[in-house]
Amino acid sequence: MTKSIQDKGVRKLLRKLTLLALPFILWPLIEVFVLPMNFFTFRIWETISVNSMRVMSGPFYPNVHMQMVEEGELAPRTPYAQKREVEWYTDAYGYRNRDTKNDVLLIGDSNITGAKLSQDETLASVLEQHLHRPVYSFAPATVNRFLATDRFEEVPPKLVIVSSIERRIPELPAVGENGINSELRDFTGNIISSSPALTYLAVTADRISKLGLYRRTLADMERVAGKREYINYNNEFFMEGDYANRELSEEEVNRIADVLEGYRDVLQERGIEFVFLPIPNKENIYYKLLPSQKQATFLPRLMDKLQERGVAYVDLQPTFKTLYQQKQVPLYPTDDAHWNEVAVKVAANILAKHATVAQLQATPEQKEDRLLVNFRESE
Amino acid sequence: MLFNSTEFFIFFPVVVTLYFLTPFNRRWIILLLASYYFYMSWKPAYTIILVVSTLIDYTCGRMMGRYPDEEKPKRRPWLYLSLFANLGVLLLFKYYNFFNDSARDLALALDVPYAMPAFELLLPMGISFYTFQTMSYSIDVYHGRIRPERHLGVFALFVSFFPQLVAGPIERAGNLLGQLHQGHEFKYERVVAGLRRMGWGFFKKIVIADNLAMMVNAVYNNPTEYDGISHIIATVFFAFQIYCDFSGYSDIAIGAAQVMGFNLMENFRSPYFSKSISEFWNRWHISLSTWFRDYLYIPLGGNRVVKWRWYYNLFITFLVSGLWHGANWTFMVWGALHGFYLVFAIVTAKQRNALASKVGLTQRPQLYKWVQVLTVFFLVCFSWIFFRANNIADAFYIIGQSASVLTNPSQLLALDWSHAVFMDQGFKIFAVSILAILLMETVHLIQRNGSVSQLIMQRPAWVRWSVYYMAIIAVLLFGQFGHQEFIYFQF
């Protein structure tokens, strides 16, 4: 060590820098180890979703059981927010399931996960009651993640239902796109899941990175004085407004049909049945509330293409429109873009009657234990 | 590597720690490695240009040093080699496509065949800065103002010193080379002052410049979607954006060097308080304007020539300065405008003084001063329109729309505030920007009579620490952390 570094000023500087940094180091630790996990969040989703540790298996912390009064994502902490108590369970892989039996696998987005829905109201749970067969919710996730996940190779499902909210359908990845990321995550996720200590460390590190107070303060400031992005017509909130009902080109619709056909083919190769379940946008069903009152044409066009190609699908749009427009049954919460528990029941009912799905009911349930892992409370 | 990146927040403490742990005579190795790593983290391949430029200028310097000062003709070939190499690289990477496109357009207009190919070359970061720095070294050695550097490692460090490598200040060999040979003790007060200076730079960049950038970009990238009032506000905001962006960079560079014991030259001295355009150029980007003064304006003859030649020298110097900033006609117009301002100021000095006296401004010095400051600010803002606009047509559109506010002030009454004044970015960004600018200018005013830093140091500990914590929290809450590049990186 040189003479210059022996100056007592070094110690003084380090002491002062430590003092300066201390509150910013201590506070996240207080958030993680002292305050309740959902102290600064408005939904369980944000509370238990993986923030930055992209090496964990699933999208949420594993083995969680949590109840919380949630607000919708489109106007949280505003007078428009509609509070609702919900309950969540996540399995050992960090997906929203009580166990990991998987005769039927539901791949999808936040609608399938069940934003603002209680555990028993999620599509997986309701469909399970219809089919009397285990339905596993693998959401939010993609087909590529499914293909890269070892446990589904070891114990494959009989049927895979790929679902997507209408607005995200054009973004569905073709088979193989970013598959390497899914394989890497499956590998690292298995390592982390293999040891409770590793799981605890990964979850704790991720929770520290969340900085709840900081994000909550920024969000509050943005809401009070920032750029307002809420799209509100007749006291109903929308994610995209008129943009959601835009026309897609013929080439784009064909490209999406190609992607979905690819899903069917790759699953067929593994001896797995495939059904596509598009979920209409709130804007699609509530189009009369929008300024343009323009009807969406995308889903019927896509269904026609899928019909031509022999890709199995379930069309919810006509039933949803009839229910909302003729019988005034709300299918989406006022303050949220996801479907509600009524829409889920309707969807499950239609889905269960689809020939490919219904045949599962006809085949007797296999008796062998297909349980990979059961939910267990972490505490 | 950007100063406002997570990587730099790890890189800098590591380098400083290693620097002070290393014996004096080996520290250049640490700094050289750090500087090359800093540069390579952007695009490793372009480091070759930096190395080649360094080797050529080092060799030229050493070769010139073999001849005594009075034998300049023998030194001249080596000077020319150095200038040719530096200007050649600059011309190829920065100006080739500009001149080539302009020549092609001209040939097309004249219906003349033209076959020069266009190159898809990415502009090497900092090339305008380090080539100017090395050219000044070669010219100074040629004139015998400095002795050539013998130590290749130290010379390479002079060219690549990471705090000021990519955006200046453009250091002179006479100032920096000597310091690179000295051993710097760890001094608590100096290190803290350097860190404080860096903090002030980060505040200017992250809180002021990057918030303003959101509004400025919204308008300047879509000028037809906004009306005159937005154009005026966006132009004034751009004036502060570019000042905070660039002077913020200089503060971080000077502060980082200060932490390690080096004194870099000041690059800005509250330029928007200037009372004349020439004073503005004595306060704005000082290292560049003095470079042009010493290596272009004075060699052209400066003001020791006949009047028309003096005006010509001034105009050419600023035209070249415009070209230095970018290979685009917008920068040429910007430089020409400043050249015109300066010539006009000299030509009309008597008449303007007489007018000021006639309206009684000379009797009220304070008012006169603020009229001058606002006039200079207006002229500078007008020139910034060309500097920031994406093309000449956009610049003229913005000028036309801005002027329309004066002819039709009724449009102010029917404002959609979020669109016109906040430029669709929301009240928060607007308010934070205004408050931060006011805070900065207040600090500038206080610093004319003393140091804000000293003022804080004289307060009790709880006040000092409260100020520090509030400053950090303000930066965290109101700063933009999208890792926006510094504007001057493109030059």
Side-chain angles (χ1 to χ4, degrees), chain A residues 344-373:
Chain A
V344 171
K345 279 182 188 163
V346 172
N349 200 25
I350 299 171
L351 193 56
K353 287 175 185 160
H354 186 276
T356 312
V357 184
Q359 72 180 9
L360 272 176
Q361 288 173 289
T363 41
E365 191 175 0
Q366 287 182 329
K367 290 298 174 195
E368 77 265 30
D369 186 11
R370 303 192 59 186
L371 196 62
L372 295 176
V373 62

Short mmCIF file of all heavy atoms in Angstrom, two decimals, chain A residues 344-373:
data_model
loop_
_atom_site.label_atom_id
_atom_site.label_comp_id
_atom_site.label_asym_id
_atom_site.label_seq_id
_atom_site.Cartn_x
_atom_site.Cartn_y
_atom_site.Cartn_z
N VAL A 344 -64.71 -15.60 -17.51
CA VAL A 344 -63.94 -16.84 -17.37
C VAL A 344 -64.88 -18.05 -17.37
O VAL A 344 -64.62 -19.06 -18.05
CB VAL A 344 -63.09 -16.82 -16.07
CG1 VAL A 344 -62.47 -18.18 -15.81
CG2 VAL A 344 -62.01 -15.75 -16.16
N LYS A 345 -65.98 -17.92 -16.62
CA LYS A 345 -66.95 -19.05 -16.57
C LYS A 345 -67.51 -19.33 -17.96
O LYS A 345 -67.65 -20.48 -18.37
CB LYS A 345 -68.09 -18.71 -15.60
CG LYS A 345 -67.72 -18.96 -14.16
CD LYS A 345 -68.89 -18.66 -13.25
CE LYS A 345 -68.46 -18.73 -11.79
NZ LYS A 345 -69.40 -18.08 -10.90
N VAL A 346 -67.87 -18.27 -18.66
CA VAL A 346 -68.42 -18.43 -20.01
C VAL A 346 -67.39 -19.11 -20.91
O VAL A 346 -67.69 -20.06 -21.64
CB VAL A 346 -68.82 -17.05 -20.59
CG1 VAL A 346 -69.23 -17.17 -22.06
CG2 VAL A 346 -69.95 -16.43 -19.78
N ALA A 347 -66.15 -18.62 -20.83
CA ALA A 347 -65.08 -19.18 -21.67
C ALA A 347 -64.85 -20.66 -21.34
O ALA A 347 -64.71 -21.49 -22.25
CB ALA A 347 -63.80 -18.38 -21.46
N ALA A 348 -64.85 -20.98 -20.05
CA ALA A 348 -64.61 -22.38 -19.64
C ALA A 348 -65.72 -23.27 -20.16
O ALA A 348 -65.48 -24.41 -20.60
CB ALA A 348 -64.52 -22.45 -18.12
N ASN A 349 -66.93 -22.75 -20.10
CA ASN A 349 -68.09 -23.52 -20.57
C ASN A 349 -67.98 -23.81 -22.06
O ASN A 349 -68.18 -24.95 -22.50
CB ASN A 349 -69.35 -22.68 -20.27
CG ASN A 349 -70.58 -23.54 -20.27
OD1 ASN A 349 -70.50 -24.74 -20.02
ND2 ASN A 349 -71.71 -22.94 -20.58
N ILE A 350 -67.64 -22.78 -22.84
CA ILE A 350 -67.52 -22.97 -24.29
C ILE A 350 -66.34 -23.89 -24.60
O ILE A 350 -66.42 -24.79 -25.43
CB ILE A 350 -67.32 -21.60 -25.00
CG1 ILE A 350 -68.53 -20.71 -24.75
CG2 ILE A 350 -67.09 -21.78 -26.48
CD1 ILE A 350 -68.35 -19.28 -25.22
N LEU A 351 -65.26 -23.66 -23.89
CA LEU A 351 -64.04 -24.45 -24.10
C LEU A 351 -64.29 -25.93 -23.82
O LEU A 351 -63.87 -26.80 -24.58
CB LEU A 351 -62.95 -23.89 -23.17
CG LEU A 351 -61.51 -24.32 -23.37
CD1 LEU A 351 -61.03 -24.04 -24.79
CD2 LEU A 351 -60.61 -23.55 -22.39
N ALA A 352 -65.02 -26.19 -22.74
CA ALA A 352 -65.27 -27.59 -22.34
C ALA A 352 -66.11 -28.32 -23.37
O ALA A 352 -66.07 -29.55 -23.46
CB ALA A 352 -65.95 -27.62 -20.98
N LYS A 353 -66.87 -27.54 -24.16
CA LYS A 353 -67.74 -28.18 -25.16
C LYS A 353 -67.02 -28.39 -26.49
O LYS A 353 -67.56 -29.03 -27.39
CB LYS A 353 -68.99 -27.32 -25.38
CG LYS A 353 -69.96 -27.39 -24.21
CD LYS A 353 -71.11 -26.44 -24.43
CE LYS A 353 -72.02 -26.44 -23.20
NZ LYS A 353 -72.85 -25.24 -23.15
N HIS A 354 -65.86 -27.81 -26.62
CA HIS A 354 -65.11 -27.98 -27.86
C HIS A 354 -64.74 -29.46 -28.01
O HIS A 354 -64.33 -30.10 -27.04
CB HIS A 354 -63.85 -27.11 -27.84
CG HIS A 354 -63.11 -27.12 -29.13
ND1 HIS A 354 -62.22 -28.10 -29.47
CD2 HIS A 354 -63.13 -26.26 -30.18
CE1 HIS A 354 -61.71 -27.84 -30.67
NE2 HIS A 354 -62.26 -26.72 -31.12
N ALA A 355 -64.90 -29.98 -29.23
CA ALA A 355 -64.72 -31.42 -29.44
C ALA A 355 -63.40 -31.94 -28.89
O ALA A 355 -63.37 -32.96 -28.19
CB ALA A 355 -64.82 -31.71 -30.94
N THR A 356 -62.32 -31.24 -29.17
CA THR A 356 -60.99 -31.71 -28.74
C THR A 356 -60.88 -31.73 -27.22
O THR A 356 -60.29 -32.65 -26.65
CB THR A 356 -59.90 -30.78 -29.32
OG1 THR A 356 -60.15 -30.56 -30.69
CG2 THR A 356 -58.52 -31.35 -29.11
N VAL A 357 -61.48 -30.75 -26.59
CA VAL A 357 -61.40 -30.67 -25.12
C VAL A 357 -62.36 -31.69 -24.51
O VAL A 357 -62.02 -32.38 -23.54
CB VAL A 357 -61.74 -29.25 -24.64
CG1 VAL A 357 -61.56 -29.12 -23.13
CG2 VAL A 357 -60.86 -28.22 -25.35
N ALA A 358 -63.56 -31.74 -25.10
CA ALA A 358 -64.59 -32.60 -24.52
C ALA A 358 -64.18 -34.07 -24.51
O ALA A 358 -64.56 -34.83 -23.61
CB ALA A 358 -65.90 -32.42 -25.29
N GLN A 359 -63.36 -34.45 -25.50
CA GLN A 359 -62.98 -35.88 -25.55
C GLN A 359 -62.14 -36.28 -24.35
O GLN A 359 -62.08 -37.46 -24.01
CB GLN A 359 -62.25 -36.19 -26.85
CG GLN A 359 -60.84 -35.63 -26.91
CD GLN A 359 -60.15 -35.98 -28.24
OE1 GLN A 359 -60.79 -36.50 -29.15
NE2 GLN A 359 -58.88 -35.72 -28.30
N LEU A 360 -61.55 -35.31 -23.70
CA LEU A 360 -60.79 -35.61 -22.48
C LEU A 360 -61.71 -36.11 -21.38
O LEU A 360 -61.34 -36.96 -20.57
CB LEU A 360 -60.08 -34.36 -21.98
CG LEU A 360 -58.68 -34.07 -22.52
CD1 LEU A 360 -58.21 -32.75 -21.99
CD2 LEU A 360 -57.73 -35.18 -22.14
N GLN A 361 -62.92 -35.52 -21.36
CA GLN A 361 -63.88 -35.93 -20.34
C GLN A 361 -64.28 -37.39 -20.55
O GLN A 361 -64.57 -38.11 -19.60
CB GLN A 361 -65.13 -35.04 -20.40
CG GLN A 361 -64.87 -33.64 -19.89
CD GLN A 361 -66.08 -32.76 -20.13
OE1 GLN A 361 -66.38 -32.42 -21.26
NE2 GLN A 361 -66.76 -32.43 -19.06
N ALA A 362 -64.32 -37.77 -21.86
CA ALA A 362 -64.76 -39.12 -22.18
C ALA A 362 -63.73 -40.18 -21.80
O ALA A 362 -64.07 -41.30 -21.45
CB ALA A 362 -65.05 -39.20 -23.67
N THR A 363 -62.42 -39.80 -21.86
CA THR A 363 -61.38 -40.77 -21.49
C THR A 363 -61.21 -40.79 -19.98
O THR A 363 -61.12 -39.74 -19.34
CB THR A 363 -60.03 -40.37 -22.12
OG1 THR A 363 -59.90 -38.98 -22.02
CG2 THR A 363 -59.90 -40.84 -23.54
N PRO A 364 -61.17 -41.99 -19.39
CA PRO A 364 -61.03 -42.05 -17.92
C PRO A 364 -59.68 -41.50 -17.47
O PRO A 364 -58.68 -41.61 -18.19
CB PRO A 364 -61.14 -43.54 -17.62
CG PRO A 364 -60.93 -44.25 -18.91
CD PRO A 364 -61.22 -43.30 -20.02
N GLU A 365 -59.68 -40.89 -16.31
CA GLU A 365 -58.46 -40.29 -15.77
C GLU A 365 -57.47 -41.38 -15.42
O GLU A 365 -57.84 -42.40 -14.86
CB GLU A 365 -58.78 -39.48 -14.53
CG GLU A 365 -57.63 -38.63 -14.07
CD GLU A 365 -58.04 -37.75 -12.90
OE1 GLU A 365 -59.19 -37.84 -12.48
OE2 GLU A 365 -57.18 -37.02 -12.43
N GLN A 366 -56.23 -41.18 -15.79
CA GLN A 366 -55.21 -42.17 -15.46
C GLN A 366 -55.01 -42.21 -13.96
O GLN A 366 -55.04 -41.17 -13.30
CB GLN A 366 -53.90 -41.80 -16.15
CG GLN A 366 -53.96 -42.07 -17.65
CD GLN A 366 -52.65 -41.73 -18.32
OE1 GLN A 366 -51.93 -40.84 -17.90
NE2 GLN A 366 -52.35 -42.45 -19.38
N LYS A 367 -54.80 -43.39 -13.45
CA LYS A 367 -54.74 -43.53 -12.00
C LYS A 367 -53.37 -43.24 -11.41
O LYS A 367 -53.26 -42.96 -10.24
CB LYS A 367 -55.19 -44.96 -11.61
CG LYS A 367 -56.66 -45.21 -11.83
CD LYS A 367 -57.50 -44.28 -10.97
CE LYS A 367 -58.99 -44.44 -11.31
NZ LYS A 367 -59.77 -43.30 -10.76
N GLU A 368 -52.34 -43.36 -12.26
CA GLU A 368 -51.01 -43.17 -11.67
C GLU A 368 -50.86 -41.73 -11.16
O GLU A 368 -51.50 -40.82 -11.67
CB GLU A 368 -49.89 -43.51 -12.66
CG GLU A 368 -49.62 -42.48 -13.72
CD GLU A 368 -50.36 -42.79 -15.00
OE1 GLU A 368 -51.46 -43.39 -14.92
OE2 GLU A 368 -49.87 -42.41 -16.07
N ASP A 369 -50.04 -41.62 -10.19
CA ASP A 369 -49.85 -40.31 -9.57
C ASP A 369 -49.02 -39.43 -10.50
O ASP A 369 -47.86 -39.69 -10.75
CB ASP A 369 -49.12 -40.49 -8.22
CG ASP A 369 -49.04 -39.17 -7.49
OD1 ASP A 369 -49.71 -38.20 -7.91
OD2 ASP A 369 -48.32 -39.14 -6.50
N ARG A 370 -49.64 -38.37 -11.02
CA ARG A 370 -48.92 -37.50 -11.94
C ARG A 370 -48.49 -36.22 -11.25
O ARG A 370 -48.10 -35.25 -11.88
CB ARG A 370 -49.80 -37.20 -13.15
CG ARG A 370 -50.23 -38.47 -13.85
CD ARG A 370 -50.83 -38.17 -15.18
NE ARG A 370 -49.86 -37.46 -16.01
CZ ARG A 370 -50.15 -36.98 -17.20
NH1 ARG A 370 -51.35 -37.12 -17.68
NH2 ARG A 370 -49.24 -36.33 -17.92
N LEU A 371 -48.65 -36.29 -9.96
CA LEU A 371 -48.30 -35.08 -9.21
C LEU A 371 -46.77 -34.94 -9.16
O LEU A 371 -46.07 -35.80 -8.68
CB LEU A 371 -48.84 -35.23 -7.79
CG LEU A 371 -48.93 -33.98 -6.95
CD1 LEU A 371 -49.89 -32.98 -7.57
CD2 LEU A 371 -49.37 -34.35 -5.56
N LEU A 372 -46.30 -33.85 -9.69
CA LEU A 372 -44.85 -33.64 -9.65
C LEU A 372 -44.44 -33.01 -8.33
O LEU A 372 -43.47 -33.37 -7.71
CB LEU A 372 -44.42 -32.72 -10.80
CG LEU A 372 -44.62 -33.27 -12.20
CD1 LEU A 372 -44.24 -32.24 -13.22
CD2 LEU A 372 -43.79 -34.53 -12.40
N VAL A 373 -45.22 -32.05 -7.93
CA VAL A 373 -44.90 -31.40 -6.67
C VAL A 373 -46.17 -30.72 -6.17
O VAL A 373 -46.96 -30.22 -6.95
CB VAL A 373 -43.75 -30.38 -6.83
CG1 VAL A 373 -44.13 -29.27 -7.78
CG2 VAL A 373 -43.30 -29.79 -5.51
#
